[in-house]
Amino acid sequence: METSRGARAVPKVRQVGFFTPNPPTPTRTQSVPPESTSPPISDSPAVMIVPPRHLSDNLSLRTAAVPVPESAVRRPTRADHVALVGSYNPSESLFGSSSPPAFSPVSRIGDGEFSEEASSAGLCRRSNSAKFASSLPSRGFDVTAVRRSDNFAAKAGREQIKQAKGTEKSVNAVAGQQYEPLSSSKPLKAKTTKAERRALQESQRAAKAAALGEGNKSATVSGSAVAGVPVRQPSQKKDGDSHNHPVAPSIATPEKKGGDRPIEKERKKDAPPPRMQFDDKNRVEKAKRRSVVNPTEVRNRVELFQHLPQYEHGTLLPDLESKFFQLDPVHPAVYKVGLRYLAGDIIGGNARCIAMLQAFQEVIKDYSAPPQKTLVRDLTAKINSYASFLIECRPQSISMGNAIRFLKSRIHNLPLTLSESEAKATLLSDVDRFINEKIVIADKVIVRHAATKIRDGDVLLTYGSSCVVEMILLYAHELGKQFRVVVVDSRPKLEGRALLRRLVARDLCCTYTHINAISYIMHDVTRVFLGASSVLSNGTVYSRVGTACVAMVANAFHVPVLICCEAYKFHERVQLDSICSNELGDPDVIAKVPGRLDVNYLDNWTANENLQLLNLMYDATPSDYISMIVTDYGMIPPTSVPVIVREYRREHLLI
Amino acid sequence: MDFQVVVLAGGNSKKLVPLVSKEVPKALLPVANRPVLSYVLEQLEASNLKDVIVVVEGQESALLVGPWISSAYVDRLHVEVAAVPEDVGTAGALRAIAPHLTAKDILVVSGDLVSDVPIGAVAAAHRRNDAVLTAMLCSSPVSGPSDSGSSSGKDKTKKSGHYNIIGLDPSKQFLLYIAAGADVEKDTRIQKSILRSVGQMEIRSDLMDAHMYAFKRSVLQQVLDRKDMFLSLKQDVLPYLVRSQLKSEILLNGATQAEESGNEKANSQKNHVLLSEILANASLPSFHELALGPYGSGHVRRTHKCCVYIASGSKYCARLNSIQAFMDINRDVIGEANRLSGYSLSAHNNIIHPSAELGSKTTVGPHCMLGEGSQMGDKCSVKRSVIGRHCRIGSNVKVVNSVVMNHVTIGDGCSVQGSVICSNGQLQERAILRDCQVGAGFVVTAGSEYKGESLARKEK
């Protein structure tokens, strides 16, 4: 019971985005044992009287009766109550065995994490109970409770002064006797880590739900459960955590679940699966067990981006390479693409998507459905496993995600009457069509559209290396337009150099600069052409890191920013910042400067705990900075993206 | 993964006489009491490569190797043993078994390789770069007993012909030049075209060609067919492929191209070009593409890629191609590289079979191995040596830095240092051997003393 309480009271808070670097857990847990070792003070009788009240209590009343103590009220009382904290511990053991229902503060102390706040909250509830009573919805019952707790408060106060006298003395003695075993058990419990407690909590919650779902068979069991849970309410409420429901709803949930399961299922289908949060240790462990590529996580990760996967890039490739022959289930073509993703041989949304689709074409060519399995199901499972392999090699781009979704929907919609060879031929031609229509022809259309925006004498700026922008520039040059190109680049990838090389080879007049000089070079520029990894439905452009900077500077200089992006890369997601979804690159590449061995200040940076390197791959450009998005459906303002996503999604999936 | 493995197990190497003989081909030379070929086969098995073609030179050797493989790997591997005539060379051997090769890529491994470099890594590097040839390189081992500094220095000067001269590109992925050190006397020629397109070439002599190659099958067969003068993979085929990588004479995917242009429209052909262009632009161009010049002007030059996989320094990699190497490998396998042998070391860092009998006051030092059923007399001392099965060793015998094979009898008071004694050899009392090789069944007479000699029975 004690353990259950300890585990239960930990609210499941998933920390994403901004939070304090050091979660309070460790310090708090350590703070408990000293408190518990403090000599038992005499106000344990206060606790002693309480349980009957709780026993008689009714669950619904209890949950309602839990007021959220105002912090202002709580504060002043806190100081003297902290001293009391220790005193509850013996009582806990005293009554923990004899009377299952425990008084709220006791139970809260049982959990190491919230002991301080919890005890103060509980105490203030008693001492200020008159105040709360007025705010209680179900007053009829609580008045009595309040009266009692008034008694406790008075008693507690008295006892604090007297330090155990009269009848309390005997209790105290008992407490003292009971204290011995407790003190040995207490620190043990305090040592359990957060993860352990969470695991315990999960298992016990499940067990409890099962037990309760069966219908309260034995009065004692249900009584203890009922009494145990509401007791925890104050502390949970106080934490402001909404998903710690009282037990009553949790009892109800099993039946409820049965009722609306189909609805939930449908909803699940509609909603994209939740992204993996890599700061959730349990899930990461699970994912690791499944994964083919054995990633070792980078040690000092930047706090803000802990939810993103970041692995030791050095070890990944050799590890995967050495397993070349062990990975029988992975098709060689897929394996090759995965290797090339991992090694960075294929970069860019279009190229990655094309490479992946071509590998899948190979898969489909070599595929034959095993006996007693249908092609539709088995091939979908295969594609799924290959896709997850590729994602392990490198987090998937949105273009890849959309293409996978397309392929799966095509497989799913295959008529059952088709023979295997026909089905394969259909799929192959579908993939070919997707590549042709959604990428190749779309690029051509974009090039035509964008070229109309290039006039003689323009100075065009582009950032990084986008294959569409490159085509636009080359096409405009072929049309005989007179313009100059500024290629802006940034470390560590220096992708712009490859673009520059190809442009100069075609006799375009180019200027090459790094992003540091963007504000100087922007004076001359008349148009900014940028590529994108994706355009989200709120008009945010998700692209190579640095794009946002270029767009903002251009906006400040009143230079129009044109985003060139194929419509198949559009996504219905809404993203406001570049934190919650991003990709982390190898931090070593920003620590090392190629060709400059003397720049070695960041060697051994992993050894320094205070140093974290951040190599973000993407950023989100707000739609305010974007003048126009050039897509295969025409030139649209960023506000029209959701229209394209909505209207063409179906067509896009069907083509 | 569409790979086929060919193990070139060799025959009776002249370099290893008197260790190898008609009874013991090179592939069955014991390394820590296991045939050397077993190391390769087990490495393949660990990599999940179960279909293996073992090519043995000479019919007689094949008759010895074949039964051993079938008895040792009966359920574990699917091995085909092919015998080729002697002196056809490695290229000739591959030519002989060419009809059996069907997979997309061929992995050619030398049977005398003792290493723990993951084979998959070589294959993966080959696939990733879409290479015609991938060679595994490892750092050349320091030969000679490591504890005696003077002799190792001497060995190095003696073995100067064994190193390779290897040219690499700055990314250490592509092979630009390869030659055996012995062939290069004073100067060597490096092609200007390769040097110009790469810009920078790193020439190293501290790398050893481990004789593990991955070939694209179509290319290998074309080369073998066209150049029927080629005898050796290493000396002919490899340099040829490396030399011609910028002006390739082989058809890589000519067949598929013709097919496409035949039944597809010009428009889609154009799209195809565009597609490959997108893909090519996405990746960092290797020097092969740079050599073509941007958007190759009309005349298409064909190139192919020759890659290398450089094993990391922590891996063990050695070839049993000389007597010195034989002793080094034996020493290493029970010493620093004991993970290869699969034996577990005892508390004293040595491996003594439970059935071996030791006399009183006999010491077996660390990094030693004593085979099954061997007997040792009193007051013997064994250091850094391997002793095979069922040997009988008398009293007061010193065995240091040596390899003693099976069924050897050593009389009382012998001293064996830095020597190899082959199976059924016999040392009578008080024989003293230093840096000698005793052939199979040879009898060293009592009280004789030899230094640096090769002793073998006269062929009748």
Side-chain angles (χ1 to χ4, degrees), chain A residues 129 135 198 281 313 317 380 419 438 448 465 487 504 539 549 587 612 634:
Chain A
S129 46
S135 69
R198 189 173 284 176
K281 275 183 191 140
H313 283 248
L317 185 60
T380 312
S419 73
K438 295 291 165 188
R448 296 275 147 73
S465 172
V487 178
V504 170
C549 168
Q612 292 134 4

Side-chain angles (χ1 to χ4, degrees), chain A residues 262-575:
Chain A
I263 303 164
E264 212 159 81
K265 232 182 186 176
E266 264 175 26
R267 200 184 300 143
K268 236 182 190 175
K269 240 188 212 169
D270 287 346
R275 271 196 313 281
M276 175 92 167
Q277 299 293 322
F278 282 81
D279 47 353
D280 189 338
K281 275 183 191 140
N282 284 341
R283 277 157 176 267
V284 170
E285 280 302 313
K286 258 185 218 165
K288 258 191 187 170
R289 254 175 275 141
R290 280 199 311 266
S291 70
V292 185
V293 189
N294 265 358
T296 34
E297 268 155 84
V298 168
R299 274 177 60 244
N300 352 0
R301 296 193 286 173
V302 179
E303 285 301 335
L304 208 51
F305 293 93
Q306 283 194 334
H307 59 287
L308 299 173
Q310 182 163 28
Y311 302 124
E312 298 275 9
H313 283 248
T315 62
L316 228 51
L317 185 60
D319 191 62
L320 184 62
E321 279 189 337
S322 61
K323 277 202 265 177
F324 185 74
F325 290 111
Q326 270 92 340
L327 288 173
D328 262 339
V330 180
H331 191 276
V334 177
Y335 187 89
K336 186 175 159 186
V337 171
L339 264 183
R340 300 186 71 183
Y341 281 176
L342 193 54
D345 286 352
I346 306 179
I347 42 177
N350 280 344
R352 282 171 71 189
C353 187
I354 293 172
M356 182 190 71
L357 285 175
Q358 286 180 340
F360 283 165
Q361 275 187 319
E362 292 293 315
V363 171
I364 294 170
K365 266 181 210 160
D366 295 349
Y367 176 82
S368 64
Q372 285 144 17
K373 278 187 180 168
T374 56
L375 180 136
V376 173
R377 288 186 185 277
D378 193 55
L379 190 58
T380 312
K382 263 217 152 77
I383 296 286
N384 272 340
S385 74
Y386 293 158
S388 67
F389 168 76
L390 292 178
I391 293 166
E392 275 168 33
C393 291
R394 196 184 151 184
Q396 74 173 0
S397 65
I398 288 167
S399 60
M400 280 163 65
N402 284 343
I404 293 171
R405 212 182 330 167
F406 159 77
L407 180 60
K408 278 176 13 189
S409 80
R410 293 306 301 168
I411 298 172
H412 188 74
N413 292 333
L414 280 176
L416 286 172
T417 51
L418 279 184
S419 73
E420 192 177 298
S421 58
E422 280 171 331
K424 277 162 69 176
T426 321
L427 286 178
L428 288 179
S429 72
D430 278 344
V431 174
D432 259 336
R433 271 234 309 281
F434 184 88
I435 295 177
N436 261 333
E437 290 180 13
K438 295 291 165 188
I439 303 175
V440 176
I441 295 175
D443 278 349
K444 281 183 184 166
V445 175
I446 292 173
V447 166
R448 296 275 147 73
H449 282 309
T452 61
K453 294 288 166 194
I454 300 178
R455 286 171 296 194
D456 282 346
D458 265 350
V459 179
L460 311 176
L461 183 142
T462 183
Y463 174 71
S465 172
S466 158
C467 65
V468 194
V469 172
E470 182 187 343
M471 284 186 234
I472 292 167
L473 298 175
L474 293 177
Y475 179 72
H477 183 70
E478 269 173 34
L479 290 183
K481 297 196 174 172
Q482 298 297 313
F483 60 93
R484 199 154 67 81
V485 181
V486 179
V487 178
V488 180
D489 207 354
S490 72
R491 280 203 67 226
K493 283 194 178 272
L494 299 175
E495 294 159 309
R497 289 188 179 184
L499 173 71
L500 185 74
R501 196 181 65 83
R502 294 192 290 265
L503 291 181
V504 170
R506 290 289 191 90
D507 302 324
L508 269 80
C509 180
C510 293
T511 307
Y512 178 77
T513 183
H514 274 208
I515 198 164
N516 329 22
I518 186 79
S519 59
Y520 301 98
I521 206 84
M522 199 56 88
H523 286 287
D524 309 340
V525 175
T526 56
R527 294 262 186 290
V528 175
F529 281 95
L530 297 172
S533 171
S534 175
V535 181
L536 309 176
S537 64
N538 59 342
T540 302
V541 171
Y542 186 68
S543 186
R544 174 70 66 221
V545 68
T547 305
C549 168
V550 172
M552 285 178 205
V553 173
N555 188 264
F557 281 85
H558 302 292
V559 178
V561 178
L562 288 86
I563 303 287
C564 308
C565 181
E566 299 85 351
Y568 86 100
K569 290 186 190 167
F570 286 13
H571 200 271
E572 68 265 18
R573 190 197 294 163
V574 169
Q575 204 173 314

Side-chain angles (χ1 to χ4, degrees), chain A residues 208-228:
Chain A
K208 200 172 274 178
L212 290 171
E214 278 173 17
N216 306 342
K217 275 177 186 166
S218 69
T220 51
V221 171
S222 65
S224 71
V226 167

Side-chain angles (χ1 to χ4, degrees), chain B residues 271-289:
Chain B
N271 283 347
H272 206 79
V273 171
L274 196 66
L275 215 61
S276 54
E277 212 165 79
I278 291 176
L279 277 180
N281 289 350
S283 57
L284 286 178
S286 73
F287 66 90
H288 299 96
E289 281 107 59

